[in-house]
Amino acid sequence: MQELPQQAWHALPAQEVIKNLETDPQVGLQQEEATSRLDKFGRNLFTQKEGQSNLVLFLLQFHQPLIYILLAAAAITFFLKEYIDSSVIFGVVLVNAIIGYFQESKAKQAINALSKELKTEALVLRNGSKARMDAEELVPGDVVLLKSGDRVPADLRLLEVKNLKVDESALTGESLAVDKQAQQVDADTVLGDRVCLAFATTNVTFGTATGVVIATGDATEVGKISESIASAVDLETPLTKQISNFSQILLYAILALSVVCIIIGLVRGQSFTEIFMAAVALAVGAIPEGLPAAITIMLSLGVSNMA
C-alpha cells in the first residue's frame, strides 16, 4: 500500500493542506474517490507482525549462560542419583523460565493491544453528508468531526477548532490535556507541540473540531511507534552483559576449582570416584541456583513499580 508523500502538515496553512489532499471541508470526499483511496492507501489498521510463538518464547528463557550451568548441574546430580538436589535445581530453573515467559508475554500483549486502538468509529463528512463509520475505512483527505469523548481515529490536521483539548499522554507522555488550534506551527516543532494536529488513538476530553485525515494505519505517528517496537532488534543491556560475563567467569572458576580438587585428591591417593563426586559437589554448591530467578523477580518488581 502507498503512503502520502512526507510533508510537514503542521507547518502548512489549512487551505494549503486541503488543496494538497484534494478534498473539500464542506462536502468531504465523494464515495467513489474514498473507495479509490482505500484501495490505494489501504485500511486504517496497524499491520499485524508475526512474532515468536509461545513455545519459542518459553524455550528462549533457557538461553542464558547461567541457565546452561544450572542445567548441567541438574543433569550431573541426577546421574549421580542425587534426585532431591537435581529436582531443586531444575525446579529453580523452571520457575525462572515461567516468570520470564509471563513477563515477556505481557510486553507482547501490550504491543498487540496497541494494534486494536484504531478499532473505533468516526463521524465523517462524505458526499456532503455526515456519516458514522468504522475508523478503518478512513482515508487521507477524509473530513472528520470530533467532539468530547471521541477517540481520534487517524492523524488529523485540524481545520476548525472550538475549545478543543486532547489527552495525548499515551503518545507523548504529557499528563495534561493539550489545547489545540487550527493555526499552523513552525516546521521544526517537536511532536508534542504540534497543536494543529490530532493524533490517532488519543482522546478528546473537551470541545469540538473538524479535521482532515493526513495519515492512516502504519503511517500514523502511533503506527510508526508500533512498527518500530515490533521490528526492534533484541539488544544486550549493560545488566545482561554483566550477567553474561559473570556467568562465564563463574563457569571457568568452577571448572578450575573442580580440576584442582581432582588433582589434590589424586596426589593424596584417594579413589577417582570419590574425588569426582567431591568435585561435582563443589561445582554444584558453587553455582548460585537462585540468581536467575532473583534477577527476573527484581526486574519484574521494578517494572511494576514504574507502571
Side-chain angles (χ1 to χ4, degrees), residues 167-186:
D167 178 7
E168 297 181 344
S169 57
L171 179 65
T172 64
E174 175 60 53
S175 59
L176 300 177
V178 179
D179 291 311
K180 294 294 184 176
Q181 64 181 38
Q183 183 68 28
Q184 73 267 24
V185 295
D186 294 336

Side-chain angles (χ1 to χ4, degrees), residues 59-110:
L59 293 177
L60 284 175
Q61 305 307 313
F62 298 94
H63 185 49
Q64 303 175 39
L66 196 58
I67 297 298
Y68 297 156
I69 299 174
L70 292 174
L71 289 175
I76 292 173
T77 51
F78 182 83
F79 177 75
L80 296 175
K81 298 182 179 180
E82 298 291 341
Y83 300 124
I84 295 178
D85 291 344
S86 178
S87 299
V88 169
I89 297 172
F90 184 74
V92 170
V93 172
L94 185 60
V95 169
N96 175 75
I98 292 173
I99 294 174
Y101 167 76
F102 279 110
Q103 290 300 318
E104 292 196 26
S105 293
K106 287 182 180 179
K108 183 179 177 182
Q109 290 169 5

Side-chain angles (χ1 to χ4, degrees), residues 183-198:
Q183 183 68 28
Q184 73 267 24
V185 295
D186 294 336
D188 58 354
T189 303
V190 296
L191 185 68
D193 293 333
R194 296 175 185 176
V195 291
C196 60
L197 302 183

